[in-house]
């Protein structure tokens, strides 16, 4: 079953294998101290509500990171997320598989003064997604000799790939010189 990769993990992961984990960190107004951590896993891509008590009239910085974890766990799968100000890629370059939708992640950072009983946050992808488009895909699957069918596509990268992300500021980093040969 082929799915459109432009829909990302939300629509393409196998929900029998993965849960969507939300890490919600509420910082003080300046984003220097974590006031609360609210982590949760869900087994669908629907909107959800998380409740906590905050002081009306006070300003907080909300950071929400969402990624996929192995079903039934909360353990980091593809990213080290202990510190949302220093998220890094967990797996070695050799483990990358094209269109592995479980690598999709989502983030939002928003400074908000509490004036109402609820706030809404919309998450977006923090990383670019490489998408290979072919116009002869039908031919690949209908070849008489499956041994000659395309099974692997390697992309060589000449530039450095940023492998660290600060969800609090939106900054990317590559201070450790991460440069995979193939992704």
């Amino acid at each position: 079953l082929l799915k459109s990769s432009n829909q990302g993990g939300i629509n393409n992961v196998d929900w029998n294998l993965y849960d969507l984990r939300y890490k919600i960190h509420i910082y003080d107004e300046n984003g220097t101290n974590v006031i609360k951590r609210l982590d949760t896993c869900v087994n669908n891509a629907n909107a959800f509500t998380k409740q906590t008590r905050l002081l009306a009239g006070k300003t907080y910085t909300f950071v929400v990171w969402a990624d996929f974890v192995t079903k039934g766990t909360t353990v980091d799968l593809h990213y080290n997320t202990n510190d949302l100000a220093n998220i890094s890629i967990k797996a070695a370059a050799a483990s990358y598989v094209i269109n592995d939708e479980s690598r999709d992640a989502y983030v939002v950072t928003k400074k908000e003064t509490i004036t109402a009983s609820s706030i809404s946050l919309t998450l977006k992808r923090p990383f670019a997604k490489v998408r290979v488009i072919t116009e002869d895909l039908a031919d690949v699957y209908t070849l008489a000799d499956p041994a000659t069918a395309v099974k692997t596509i390697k992309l060589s990268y000449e530039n450095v790939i940023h492998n660290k992300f600060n969800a609090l500021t939106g900054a990317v980093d590559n201070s450790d010189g991460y440069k995979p040969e193939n992704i």
Side-chain angles (χ1 to χ4, degrees):
L1 178 65
L2 292 174
K3 296 183 178 184
S4 178
S5 68
N6 70 336
Q7 298 297 313
I10 291 295
N11 292 315
N12 289 336
V13 297
D14 183 344
W15 290 105
N16 294 312
L17 301 175
Y18 301 102
D19 287 330
L20 186 58
R21 174 184 64 176
Y22 291 89
K23 296 188 81 139
I24 304 163
H25 291 190
I26 303 170
Y27 292 79
D28 60 14
E29 180 175 359
N30 299 322
T32 53
N33 298 309
V34 177
I35 306 297
K36 292 189 178 196
R37 295 174 193 259
L38 308 166
D39 298 347
T40 192
C41 286
V42 296
N43 191 247
N44 59 55
N46 298 329
F48 80 98
T49 301
K50 191 75 173 175
Q51 295 181 352
T52 189
R53 299 182 116 195
L54 299 171
L55 297 174
K58 189 164 173 77
T59 301
Y60 299 93
T61 300
F62 296 86
V63 179
V64 182
W65 170 268
D67 63 2
F68 293 98
V69 294
T70 302
K71 186 172 186 62
T73 74
T74 59
V75 178
D76 286 337
L77 182 60
H78 298 298
Y79 305 100
N80 294 311
T81 62
N82 188 44
D83 178 2
L84 293 186
N86 188 26
I87 296 169
S88 62
I89 296 173
K90 186 176 179 182
S95 69
Y96 281 94
V97 175
I98 197 162
N99 287 338
D100 179 355
E101 302 292 4
S102 71
R103 290 186 178 276
D104 227 347
Y106 310 89
V107 68
V108 65
T109 301
K110 185 176 183 183
K111 188 182 281 191
E112 181 89 19
T113 301
I114 305 302
T115 59
S117 61
S118 68
I119 63 167
S120 293
L121 301 170
T122 302
L123 285 69
K124 296 181 180 181
R125 284 188 178 128
F127 304 111
K129 185 171 185 167
V130 174
R131 194 166 171 225
V132 177
I133 299 173
T134 179
E135 294 181 3
D136 63 349
L137 187 60
D139 295 337
V140 170
Y141 290 106
T142 59
L143 288 174
D145 182 5
T148 62
V150 175
K151 292 181 179 72
T152 304
I153 299 173
K154 289 187 178 183
L155 300 176
S156 295
Y157 227 82
E158 293 184 22
N159 295 320
V160 172
I161 295 175
H162 297 288
N163 68 325
K164 294 180 183 171
F165 177 72
N166 183 331
L168 189 60
T169 66
V172 293
D173 183 20
N174 183 29
S175 59
D176 61 0
Y178 182 77
K179 188 174 181 180
E181 290 181 22
N182 298 298
I183 57 171

